[in-house]
Amino acid sequence: MRFAGMTSAPRRGMAVSLMLMAVAGCSTGSPPHEPPVTPRRIVWGTCPALPDGAARDPRQTCGSLQVPLDHHHPGGATLDIAVSRIIAARPSSRRGVLLLNPGGPGLGGLELPSLNAPLLPPAVLDSYDLIGFDPRGVGHSSPVTCGLTDVSIVNLFPYPAADGSIDANVALARETAARCAASSSRDVLPFITTANTARDMDLFRQALGEEQVSYWGQSYGTYLGAVYASLFPERTDRMILEGNVDPTSVWSGFTRTWSDGMESRFPDAARYAAAHDDRFHFGTTPEAVTEAYLALANRIDATPASIPGTDAVITGGLLRTLTYTFLERDEQLPLLVQVWRTTANLADGAPTEEDAAVLQQLFAQGPAEADIPGDNQTAVFLALTCGDVSWPTDVEHYRAATAVDRAAHPLSAGMPANIWPCAFWRAPLEPPVAVPSEGPHNILLLQNRRDNATPWESGLGMRKALGARAAWVGVEAGGHYAYGQGASCVDDVFNAFLEDGTLPQDDVHCRVALR
């Protein structure tokens, strides 16, 4: 998963699928209650104003599309979805459109055409219109809120107390669910689901005048893509899913994979710290660094590190969340280890000038966008993960699972097994979509071995679900992203698939040095 405000701006831009039609108890692409709507063509014009300092490709234009709030009753309330486009550079070579999604859940994708265009080779830019969009409820697409102006998505990560108690997590989860249920978006939140977002995407296709769409989804976007390909297999052209969510594990089962993901990825940061012990002083071996990190996290669990001149503190939970986030990219490992050093200095009461600069980088707030609630990503994250599928509701289930996970996986401290607001959420409006292994052979899966956000086992789950529909590129690398990271064995397969439809006949295994 990816979280806004925790990393640098997205380089480019989590996701399950749907059954074809005949699986009992599963959603279908065309809700049966009323005739479907026929969308109007999108009128392209200027895009929303950017925050100060941000840039956009001058070729990018934007428009909006009205979609039903409830696809089962398309004659009722509607949502306005913001869509963007950079048209194919060579009209004579144009194949179609490439829809883009960065994941989240809850991240906007309106700027992805501008962000992704520099990454893609000329042949792809000649062949496809790049299409971005803010998914329903996100950003400029009828944004929702839970009224959680005092609770960020980072605070919702349910790290247990220093003694392992989850009582505070239970209270916060119950309160958060109640606030969402009482918010001004309470009548919209139940319809902010992956299945409905996929149905919106097919309305994009129709409004764009396309018989089929291609798609590149990352992280949560892999689940969204798989759902679209399952609901609308005949409308799916070429699909690339990068950093994959196991569609059979959403969502309570998926969060449990983070413990293994952390254990596979953390050694990369520990090796970096050990190699630079003259600067960071956590030990000269990865094992010593890991022991020092755990001691630091446990220490500030009990006594949070105060940030001078503010009322803010760095808790053990915040340190672990920052670690999770910065592990998503190799280029962020130096900053991550510096964050550890800064936190240790704060805990010792001896911060340096360098620490002040690090804190400024960590906690600087970007300008708020007009008309977008401050808790928008948090609200969408909860609506999707709680509204896609039911979660266990027994508090004792979480208490026992957290204790087991905490003992087995000290790096994640029991958080992945702990309780979320979803335990107190209203029941989903429809069953989750099943992802079938039958269908066109037109999906490419990219998966890093040491991905802490969507771990290797999760990628294998997506591969198993899709079966012969998908080709596989497994990368012996760390981090959340595979394409555009300097591995030609990844980039060449990606580019060839989009350019001429070529998929490898056998699994591809890439080995990439730590960057």
Side-chain angles (χ1 to χ4, degrees):
M1 291 186 175
R2 299 191 53 237
F3 306 105
M6 296 297 298
T7 63
S8 55
R11 171 201 63 164
R12 50 186 199 279
M14 248 187 158
V16 177
S17 289
L18 315 163
M19 195 66 178
L20 288 173
M21 290 263 306
V23 179
C26 295
S27 300
T28 58
S30 300
H33 301 91
E34 296 178 10
V37 297
T38 301
R40 298 179 178 179
R41 291 296 180 97
I42 298 169
V43 177
W44 299 102
T46 59
C47 294
L50 289 172
D52 290 344
R56 172 187 291 137
D57 190 309
R59 297 171 297 172
Q60 180 174 309
T61 57
C62 293
S64 65
L65 183 68
Q66 198 171 79
V67 302
L69 172 66
D70 181 357
H71 282 271
H72 294 278
H73 299 93
T78 60
L79 302 173
D80 291 321
I81 308 299
V83 187
S84 60
R85 178 179 71 169
I86 292 179
I87 63 172
R90 182 177 295 178
S92 62
S93 301
R94 184 182 183 278
R95 174 181 178 84
V97 299
L98 178 62
L99 270 63
L100 307 166
N101 183 271
L107 292 179
L110 200 65
E111 299 303 320
L112 285 186
S114 290
L115 292 169
N116 285 11
L119 302 169
L120 296 167
V124 171
L125 297 176
D126 288 346
S127 302
Y128 296 91
D129 296 350
L130 304 184
I131 305 295
F133 63 99
D134 283 350
R136 59 169 47 208
V138 177
H140 299 282
S141 294
S142 301
V144 295
T145 179
C146 279
L148 302 174
T149 54
D150 56 337
V151 180
S152 75
I153 195 167
V154 173
N155 301 132
L156 289 180
F157 270 55
Y159 284 99
D163 62 357
S165 169
I166 70 166
D167 290 346
N169 306 123
V170 173
L172 179 60
R174 181 181 284 113
E175 178 191 358
T176 301
R179 291 173 69 177
C180 290
S183 72
S184 60
S185 298
R186 60 186 176 275
D187 295 331
V188 176
L189 290 172
F191 298 94
I192 307 298
T193 65
T194 300
N196 281 329
T197 304
R199 294 171 182 133
D200 294 343
M201 288 166 55
D202 201 57
L203 294 183
F204 302 165
R205 176 194 62 78
Q206 296 175 50
L208 293 166
E210 301 292 329
E211 290 295 319
Q212 293 183 312
V213 294
S214 293
Y215 176 85
W216 176 15
Q218 301 165 304
S219 194
Y220 162 78
T222 64
Y223 179 51
L224 175 60
V227 169
Y228 181 86
S230 301
L231 287 176
F232 306 102
E234 73 287 355
R235 301 301 186 185
T236 304
D237 187 11
R238 297 168 182 173
M239 177 169 284
I240 298 174
L241 307 180
E242 178 184 9
N244 292 272
V245 171
D246 179 355
T248 68
S249 73
V250 294
W251 283 110
S252 62
F254 175 77
T255 63
R256 296 290 295 270
T257 69
W258 287 343
S259 291
D260 288 334
M262 180 62 76
E263 291 194 352
S264 71
R265 175 59 167 158
F266 187 89
D268 290 338
R271 280 188 287 270
Y272 180 87
H276 299 84
D277 184 58
D278 58 331
R279 177 182 174 190
F280 298 115
H281 311 298
F282 285 112
T284 58
T285 66
E287 293 77 14
V289 171
T290 302
E291 184 177 346
Y293 170 82
L294 290 172
L296 174 61
N298 291 336
R299 176 185 176 188
I300 61 174
D301 273 337
T303 306
S306 298
I307 299 176
T310 76
D311 295 329
V313 296
I314 298 179
T315 64
L318 177 56
L319 180 66
R320 295 182 181 95
T321 301
L322 291 168
T323 298
Y324 168 95
T325 302
F326 288 127
L327 285 174
E328 291 187 354
R329 299 180 187 275
D330 281 349
E331 60 266 31
Q332 294 179 157
L333 296 184
L335 175 58
L336 170 59
V337 180
Q338 183 59 57
V339 168
W340 299 347
R341 182 70 266 154
T342 293
T343 303
N345 291 343
L346 291 173
D348 290 340
T352 66
E353 290 185 8
E354 185 177 14
D355 295 331
V358 171
L359 293 169
Q360 176 65 29
Q361 185 174 353
L362 283 179
F363 297 107
Q365 295 293 321
E369 293 193 67
D371 302 321
I372 299 177
D375 71 331
N376 181 235
Q377 189 196 357
T378 303
V380 175
F381 175 90
L382 292 172
L384 283 163
T385 54
C386 303
D388 275 351
V389 62
S390 296
W391 287 54
T393 58
D394 181 10
V395 170
E396 296 309 311
H397 160 85
Y398 293 100
R399 200 181 308 279
T402 300
V404 171
D405 197 69
R406 181 178 170 88
H409 303 284
L411 284 168
S412 50
M415 181 275 291
N418 205 351
I419 196 165
W420 292 76
C422 304
F424 305 104
W425 211 260
R426 61 171 291 172
L429 296 180
E430 60 181 320
V433 176
V435 176
S437 58
E438 300 82 13
H441 179 62
N442 58 355
I443 301 174
L444 175 62
L445 305 180
L446 309 179
Q447 182 67 46
N448 283 348
R449 170 77 70 174
R450 302 187 307 280
D451 181 344
N452 60 296
T454 51
W456 182 259
E457 292 75 14
S458 181
L460 293 178
M462 177 69 87
R463 181 191 189 193
K464 181 178 179 180
L466 290 172
R469 299 180 68 185
W472 171 269
V473 178
V475 191
E476 295 292 335
H480 198 29
Y481 302 98
Y483 181 73
Q485 299 298 296
S488 60
C489 59
V490 176
D491 296 357
D492 291 349
V493 173
F494 179 107
N495 295 336
F497 179 45
L498 286 181
E499 290 168 19
D500 57 28
T502 302
L503 283 172
Q505 292 185 349
D506 300 313
D507 290 354
V508 175
H509 298 282
C510 298
R511 185 170 296 277
V512 181
L514 180 66
R515 294 177 289 275

